[in-house]
Amino acid sequence: MTRRVDPDLTLIRLLGDGRMHSGEAIAKHLGVSRAAVWKALRRATERYGLALCAVRGQGYRLPVPLELLDPGQVLSALSEEGRSSVSRLEIHDEIDSTNAHLMSEAGAGAPSGAVCLAERQSAGRGRRGRVWVSPFGVNLYLSVLWRYPLAPSAMGGLSLAAGAAIVSALSECGVPDLALKWPNDILWQRRKLAGVLLEVAGEAHGPSYVVVGVGINLRMDPNTADAIDQPWTNLSEALGDQPYSRNRLAAGVIEALTSALDRYGRDGLLPFLPHWERFDAFRGERVRVVLGDRATEGLHAGIADDGALLLRTADGVVRVQAGEVSLRATEAAQS
């Protein structure tokens, strides 16, 4: 387990409870003079992109409490089987990308079951090269490395299995109205709540390894989300006033994902298809599939056993492989 601690983060952790802290108490906690407190506060909150409330005569606080990730809390929330599936757990204050980090570690021999989480990503990525907006401490960014004796070509349905696992974890938290959008988006009321990004490498005939990255919007300020080019939502909106623990949610996602990765190696995609079909957001609707500068419209006719999208067109049923297209409801379907 790895976690780098610095004075700025120490201050953010102190303020993370959302309560008012006097300048005198902050100075004592940091071991600095009272005069140095404001400079330290401004540096820390600007560095992590956080707002700061200051009340004369009372002190300072964050407008919204932060539950920062803690390795002990995450591990203690896992079942015994879940803990045995995690070979190592890293939590970073900031990283370029949890996926990029684990892909690099995998190339250096990191074991199956390595898990990486981050409070913030400076270069978070979604499918098709999109930016994944990754502000500090308010969402969930995690990746899991898994090794298989299989060839990379056998990983075609894994993104669907991962998506089904994430829906299961969110359902366990009490999130209603969840849906899956092929190949690996998780929606709430037709707005994106979470996404999955898979990266695979290995020998042509095996073995191979995959890094599965998961991003879940938990409580994101709309002012930080200008780069998101599609309708999106937060877990806080989906749950309403129902409280949740960020650390327990991380554990639930890790548990569901490692279990799915293990089962996929034994049984492939087939056991996950009934769960996927239950939550399929577009089944039976007319959709538009975009590949490069070409678009094809047809009826979403389900998912093949290998994870391909089945699109019923005027020319018959077309198979569309995951990772090559984006999928949107047609205007007729959205009206």
Side-chain angles (χ1 to χ4, degrees):
M1 293 177 287
T2 302
R3 190 170 192 106
R4 181 180 59 83
V5 178
D6 61 32
D8 290 344
L9 190 65
T10 298
L11 182 51
I12 296 303
R13 286 185 175 281
L14 175 66
L15 298 177
D17 59 9
R19 299 173 182 171
M20 193 68 70
H21 295 265
S22 69
E24 181 180 358
I26 293 172
K28 183 176 180 180
H29 186 83
L30 295 180
V32 300
S33 69
R34 177 66 180 83
V37 167
W38 173 245
K39 182 178 180 180
L41 284 166
R42 186 172 60 181
R43 182 185 66 238
T45 53
E46 287 181 354
R47 174 180 172 186
Y48 289 108
L50 301 171
L52 179 68
C53 293
V55 180
R56 184 179 294 276
Q58 296 185 40
Y60 309 90
R61 67 177 179 86
L62 297 181
V64 179
L66 290 180
E67 181 191 352
L68 298 186
L69 296 169
D70 178 85
Q73 291 187 46
V74 173
L75 289 172
S76 66
L78 292 169
S79 69
E80 183 176 348
E81 182 179 359
R83 283 192 295 273
S84 69
S85 297
V86 176
S87 60
R88 75 187 198 197
L89 174 66
E90 302 179 20
I91 299 179
H92 296 263
D93 305 329
E94 183 170 4
I95 201 170
D96 55 353
S97 158
T98 57
N99 257 38
H101 175 72
L102 277 191
M103 285 296 288
S104 176
E105 291 291 293
S112 187
V115 178
C116 177
L117 298 100
E119 297 288 2
R120 177 167 68 178
Q121 297 181 120
S122 60
R125 293 171 292 146
R127 291 185 62 245
R128 303 177 69 212
R130 289 189 177 96
V131 171
W132 189 273
V133 179
S134 307
F136 180 85
V138 296
N139 294 333
L140 196 62
Y141 324 113
L142 71 86
S143 297
V144 178
L145 164 65
W146 210 260
R147 295 186 179 274
Y148 293 101
L150 309 171
S153 59
M155 301 295 107
L158 186 54
S159 65
L160 278 75
I166 304 308
V167 163
S168 294
L170 292 171
S171 296
E172 286 291 319
C173 291
V175 183
D177 303 324
L178 289 167
L180 285 161
K181 170 175 169 279
W182 184 89
N184 48 17
D185 284 348
I186 293 89
L187 311 180
W188 181 74
Q189 296 186 354
R190 298 230 167 185
R191 290 176 288 161
K192 187 166 182 175
L193 174 63
V196 180
L197 175 67
L198 267 70
E199 297 184 83
V200 181
E203 302 297 327
H205 302 289
S208 61
Y209 59 85
V210 60
V211 171
V212 182
V214 179
I216 305 177
N217 300 326
L218 302 186
R219 191 188 69 238
M220 187 157 54
D221 186 338
N223 294 325
T224 68
D226 291 342
I228 300 178
D229 62 354
Q230 59 187 300
W232 62 276
T233 188
N234 288 317
L235 184 65
S236 295
E237 181 182 1
L239 286 175
D241 295 330
Q242 181 178 332
Y244 63 90
S245 163
R246 190 163 169 251
N247 282 285
R248 290 190 66 84
L249 176 63
V253 171
I254 292 167
E255 182 108 23
L257 195 53
T258 53
S259 176
L261 291 168
D262 179 58
R263 188 174 187 185
Y264 187 90
R266 299 193 310 270
D267 303 325
L269 178 61
L270 200 59
F272 299 95
L273 285 178
H275 194 64
W276 174 274
E277 291 169 356
R278 175 187 167 196
F279 289 94
D280 194 332
F282 294 88
R283 180 74 178 263
E285 295 187 8
R286 292 198 63 81
V287 296
R288 182 171 67 253
V289 178
V290 180
L291 176 58
D293 58 357
R294 294 186 303 163
T296 304
E297 292 193 9
L299 188 72
H300 177 358
I303 305 298
D305 288 352
D306 63 354
L309 173 68
L310 301 178
L311 189 66
R312 192 178 303 280
T313 71
D315 299 321
V317 175
V318 176
R319 294 168 56 91
V320 184
Q321 296 296 329
E324 299 177 357
V325 303
S326 64
L327 178 66
R328 311 174 191 134
T330 63
E331 293 179 3
Q334 290 177 334
S335 61

